[in-house]
Amino acid sequence: VAVGGDEATMRVLETLGAEWLTGHEIAARLRERRASATAADVRLLPQLHRLEAAGILTAEWQEVAGVRRRRYRATQRATGTGSLKGSGGGAIHD
Amino acid sequence: MTDRPVAADYLATVAARLPLPAELRADVLAELADHVADSIAALEAEGLDRDRAERETLARLGRPEALAQDLIRAHQTRRRLFAGIGGGVYAAGGAWITGIIFGFSFATIATIVALAVGALLQSAFGVQVALQTSDQAVNTAIYGVVSWFAAFLAARAAVRASATRSRRPIPELARWWALLGTTLLALWVLVGLTMPLNPPAVVVECAIPFAFAAGALVGIERPGPRVRGVHVVAALAVVLVPVVALGAFVTHGAPSPVVIESGGALPNGMPDMHFEVVGLQATIEAPGGGGWWSTSDGGIQTDASPASAIDAGGWRDLRFEAWVTRSVGTEPVVVAVLDTTHRSPFAVVPAVREGDRYLGTFHFERYRGVGPWMIFFTGVAPDGRRYRLGGGGGGNSTFRGTVWDWLTAPAIP
């Protein structure tokens, strides 16, 4: 998976930035941006796993407020390539 | 996991279609269950009732079969497959070396124990145990047993490493490793591995591929035992204490534990060599030579000379014959005599004149079941009968080749 290689990847990276988010939280933010109920969830989890395999995202099981969830964050590779600038949903350069 | 039956069905459907390594699969399913639970809770917080929130959540995720397929594709990439193959081969190589070291250590300890037990039996009960052999195939059998350890460990390492790297389930990969590894090892043993062989060594070698298959398939999903320091110390104590004690006993000069059966003796006390089985002794002066030496390609070469004197006697059909022998006597006086159960030579080569001598080359290592032998130089006299012209030099050979060579080789009658 190339960073910036497809729109779905770019949207995920834009949403994530340097924050740790669960798949559900990412989907919720994507829905807020695109106002599309279903498109955000369908294939999101496989997409996250694919990006993690490519080294674009990193994932960890984290416990926050007593709730253990798997959370994702963009890696240096994603933020350092010029595809993603800033954090927490910064600007994207296609 | 969710307490909603529809969501539970959805998750079960995904789970049933997710052939990933157990730990990874559990992680993926746990994440999916959390995602469903969080989504339902969020929709309920927005005002939807529980059933609608559940239906909406599952609709957003799409068909469970498609989701499972996407998750598999996300993990089981071609790149990971190649990494799995490479990692498996690398791990197998390392485990093979470990197995060889472990196996030879085991064989060494077993040999020391066997020697010590033999010496103990001899000292305490006067029982003599034959532990010495000139059969090089015994070493092949030992090497083969050592290779069982190596093949078994290599298969396990290969399956586990490739499953981890390729993110494919262990049973699926175990079948492939068992098939490919066993086939390759069988080919190697059958036509590639050239060793001294006897029947036990052939059986031991042929078991190597099966040891690999067992390593790949038997209990491969069970985690290995957790070895702690106390286990290592206990194992060393159990093995080493008797070994050292018995080994020390052996070093106190136990006599050589070789037993040789007694043979028939002539009136002068010498054992009967039974050379008459080969033919009558020629009355001409025995030609020189008769010794033998090894050739660079593993053969045994012998000669007889002077050729001019032999030719002057009108001899024809000159040839070298190899006969099976056995040992008689008791240590330290052991003599090789012809084994009279064999009424004909097991190998015959024509004598080829070269200068003033006759030469013949045998390849005993190509005869299945070859052991001790004796070479004679014979010829047919003008009276039409075959006579012994010389020879009597003996030695010992072991079949050498691949298992396929063994299966297709001529056998000692």
Side-chain angles (χ1 to χ4, degrees):
Chain A
V1 178
V3 178
D6 61 69
E7 195 184 337
T9 300
M10 299 310 295
R11 280 202 300 272
V12 168
L13 290 174
E14 183 186 21
T15 304
L16 263 175
E19 273 188 278
W20 285 101
L21 296 177
T22 67
H24 167 70
E25 289 164 345
I26 296 167
R29 289 197 183 184
L30 287 172
R31 274 193 300 277
E32 285 170 15
R33 287 168 182 246
R34 300 188 68 227
S36 166
T38 50
D41 276 31
V42 170
R43 298 194 174 182
L44 177 65
L45 283 182
Q47 172 79 350
L48 294 174
H49 288 206
R50 211 172 282 124
L51 292 173
E52 185 196 354
I56 294 166
L57 302 183
T58 184
E60 283 179 11
W61 283 95
Q62 296 176 346
E63 194 166 313
V64 177
V67 180
R68 189 169 174 271
R69 289 287 183 268
R70 188 169 166 81
R71 290 183 162 80
Y72 295 87
R73 190 178 71 173
T75 62
Q76 286 289 324
R77 184 179 167 197
T79 56
T81 55
S83 296
L84 177 68
K85 290 192 175 173
S87 63
I92 300 291
H93 291 250
D94 289 322
Chain B
M1 293 292 284
T2 176
D3 58 350
R4 304 293 299 171
V6 177
D9 282 352
Y10 184 96
L11 293 172
T13 305
V14 174
R17 288 165 174 74
L18 214 54
L20 296 172
E23 198 175 328
L24 173 65
R25 182 170 174 272
D27 258 8
V28 171
L29 290 173
E31 183 185 7
L32 180 59
D34 291 343
H35 187 93
V36 169
D38 289 348
S39 183
I40 290 173
L43 289 169
E44 281 185 310
E46 288 173 15
L48 269 62
D49 65 51
R50 190 82 194 245
D51 287 339
R52 237 189 111 192
E54 184 181 10
R55 283 199 303 277
E56 176 64 21
T57 293
L58 299 182
R60 287 177 181 178
L61 285 170
R63 289 174 51 245
E65 296 85 357
L67 178 60
Q69 202 59 42
D70 276 355
L71 285 168
I72 292 168
R73 271 200 292 268
H75 286 276
Q76 296 177 351
T77 61
R78 184 168 298 180
R79 186 174 154 191
R80 278 185 172 147
L81 178 62
F82 289 133
I85 293 169
V89 170
Y90 182 80
W96 185 281
I97 293 170
T98 304
I100 291 286
I101 293 170
F102 174 73
F104 271 117
S105 304
F106 179 80
T108 302
I109 291 171
T111 304
I112 292 171
V113 170
L115 286 170
V117 169
L120 187 65
L121 287 173
Q122 185 171 335
S123 172
F125 306 106
V127 177
Q128 291 192 316
V129 182
L131 289 171
Q132 295 175 344
T133 177
S134 57
D135 190 348
Q136 298 168 25
V138 171
N139 292 331
T140 304
I142 293 172
Y143 175 74
V145 172
V146 168
S147 298
W148 292 354
F149 287 100
F152 187 87
L153 293 180
R156 284 183 120 58
V159 171
R160 287 178 175 152
S162 56
T164 302
R165 285 171 175 76
S166 71
R167 302 205 172 182
R168 282 160 172 81
I170 283 179
E172 178 188 327
L173 290 174
R175 285 194 294 274
W176 281 106
W177 272 107
L179 180 67
L180 292 174
T182 305
T183 303
L184 288 176
L185 280 175
L187 283 172
W188 175 60
V189 165
L190 194 63
V191 296
L193 183 62
T194 299
M195 299 287 276
L197 292 176
N198 61 12
V202 169
V203 171
V204 167
E205 274 198 1
C206 287
I208 295 172
F210 294 103
F212 188 91
L217 297 173
V218 178
I220 186 68
E221 288 190 273
R222 282 202 301 270
R226 284 185 63 189
V227 179
R228 296 178 179 157
V230 65
H231 296 146
V232 175
V233 171
L236 284 175
V238 167
V239 173
L240 287 183
V241 168
V243 166
V244 170
L246 293 169
F249 179 80
V250 171
T251 58
H252 276 78
S256 174
V258 174
V259 176
I260 305 291
E261 64 171 293
S262 296
L266 295 175
N268 62 5
M270 287 297 291
D272 185 352
M273 310 288 278
H274 301 298
F275 284 179
E276 76 282 355
V277 177
V278 178
L280 295 172
Q281 174 66 50
T283 53
I284 68 162
E285 188 177 338
W292 59 268
W293 57 94
S294 298
T295 61
S296 59
D297 64 347
I300 298 290
Q301 196 163 55
T302 184
D303 70 346
S305 62
S308 51
I310 297 165
D311 290 349
W315 298 92
R316 60 187 172 82
D317 194 16
L318 295 165
R319 69 188 196 186
F320 293 95
E321 300 177 0
W323 290 71
V324 175
T325 68
R326 63 190 180 91
S327 298
V328 298
T330 305
E331 285 283 328
V333 182
V334 179
V335 179
V337 302
L338 284 185
D339 183 344
T340 52
T341 59
H342 296 263
R343 306 304 295 182
S344 60
F346 70 89
V348 172
V349 293
V352 179
R353 183 161 178 172
E354 188 180 288
D356 198 29
R357 63 178 182 164
Y358 279 103
L359 283 175
T361 304
F362 289 98
H363 279 280
F364 297 137
E365 81 282 5
R366 296 175 189 169
Y367 284 85
R368 197 168 63 214
V370 69
W373 44 260
M374 202 175 278
I375 298 172
F376 293 92
F377 180 51
T378 70
V380 177
D383 65 5
R385 295 203 292 179
R386 182 168 292 281
Y387 288 82
R388 272 185 291 129
L389 289 163
N396 202 326
S397 293
T398 302
F399 178 89
R400 185 175 176 78
T402 64
V403 169
W404 178 256
D405 293 334
W406 168 270
L407 294 173
T408 56
I412 301 295

